[in-house]
Amino acid sequence: MDLTAKAHETGMIPVIVLNNKNEAVPAAKALLAGGIDFMEITLRTPCALDAIRMVSEEVPDMIVGAGTVVNVEGAKKAIEAGAKFIVSPGFSEETVKYCQDHDTPIIPGCVTPTEIMGAMAMGLDTVKFFPADVFGGMKTIKGLASVFRGIKFLPTGGINLSNMAEYVSEPYITAVGGSFVCSSKDLLNGDYQGITDKAASAVNIIRQIKENKK
Ligand code: 3PG
């Protein structure tokens, strides 16, 4: 599977912080019901690996990946748990190499030209731009994209339903990421309908922009 092409088609990768592994499968189903078949479960909580395993085994239509992977050990555990892709907040050559050696797509965080050149040197064409709002949002991404033709960006950090349109509208944006579609608060409240509704709203915004561009 060409993961970045598929992510571009979906347009959105929800970033998820789970406090209870039993929230993982219902969250995956709620996202699918809203039209999103990607989820990035962050390795920020102790149940993350179990959650990745459960989604990978029980919800085959969901493309589940691991986020906040900061080293080789995290990548190894996530891939063993069934993660189909790895996202990292920063750029670690050895973690990229490990994922490549294990045929698992990785999207490392790169916000400077030097970091992007490091990713390019390892054969990557997609980077995470995080925290997008702090590093200048689309203004900075536009500047980088004008130099690094062919590089695609996954902006996350500070993106929500009201500002996602400005990001989605450029062809060099693989997808947008963010916690707003499936927040810890929604999960804590068991508001799976709310997750589906927000996923559907995000998908709708993405669809409208793609339609307008035709
Ligand atoms: C990430 O890991 O990409 C960010 O935590 C997501 O940022 P957000 O919570 O502002 O969406």
Side-chain angles (χ1 to χ4, degrees):
M1 171 185 53
D2 181 343
L3 187 103
T4 48
K6 177 74 186 88
H8 188 63
E9 204 181 295
T10 301
M12 161 90 217
I13 302 184
V15 176
I16 301 166
V17 182
L18 283 167
N19 288 302
N20 178 343
K21 66 179 180 188
N22 295 322
E23 295 166 348
V25 167
K29 291 181 178 166
L31 288 168
L32 281 174
I36 294 183
D37 54 1
F38 272 87
M39 66 196 291
E40 174 193 326
I41 298 179
T42 59
L43 303 193
R44 293 178 210 169
T45 52
C47 69
L49 292 169
D50 282 339
I52 291 169
R53 190 172 295 110
M54 289 165 85
V55 174
S56 153
E57 285 171 3
E58 296 175 39
V59 194
D61 290 342
M62 176 54 74
I63 302 166
V64 61
T68 322
V69 176
V70 296
N71 51 33
V72 170
E73 197 196 345
K76 181 173 188 291
K77 287 183 178 162
I79 293 168
E80 281 168 4
K84 305 293 179 295
F85 64 96
I86 300 293
V87 181
S88 179
F91 178 64
S92 148
E93 220 174 286
E94 54 175 5
T95 306
V96 170
K97 172 100 178 54
Y98 182 87
C99 292
Q100 290 175 329
D101 289 347
H102 291 80
D103 293 326
T104 305
I106 174 163
I107 305 178
C110 296
V111 294
T112 65
T114 304
E115 289 164 349
I116 293 171
M117 283 158 62
M120 287 167 72
M122 298 194 75
L124 299 179
D125 63 6
T126 305
V127 297
K128 170 168 166 144
F129 187 80
F130 168 79
D133 52 350
V134 177
F135 281 105
M138 268 317 280
K139 195 166 178 234
T140 305
I141 298 176
K142 265 187 190 138
L144 292 166
S146 70
V147 174
F148 298 110
R149 307 275 168 95
I151 292 293
K152 292 200 161 31
F153 297 85
L154 171 72
T156 76
I159 297 175
N160 51 50
L161 279 176
S162 41
N163 67 7
M164 63 180 281
E166 65 181 274
Y167 287 92
V168 192
S169 50
E170 296 299 336
Y172 44 77
I173 299 295
T174 293
V176 294
S179 60
F180 64 95
V181 171
C182 182
S183 68
S184 299
K185 190 166 160 238
D186 290 337
L187 293 167
L188 188 68
N189 294 336
D191 186 7
Y192 295 104
Q193 186 57 50
I195 293 170
T196 297
D197 292 346
K198 274 178 269 184
S201 300
V203 166
N204 199 30
I205 292 169
I206 294 160
R207 190 175 298 139
Q208 272 175 16
I209 289 168
K210 286 184 179 166
E211 283 298 316
N212 290 344
K213 294 199 98 175
K214 275 186 192 161

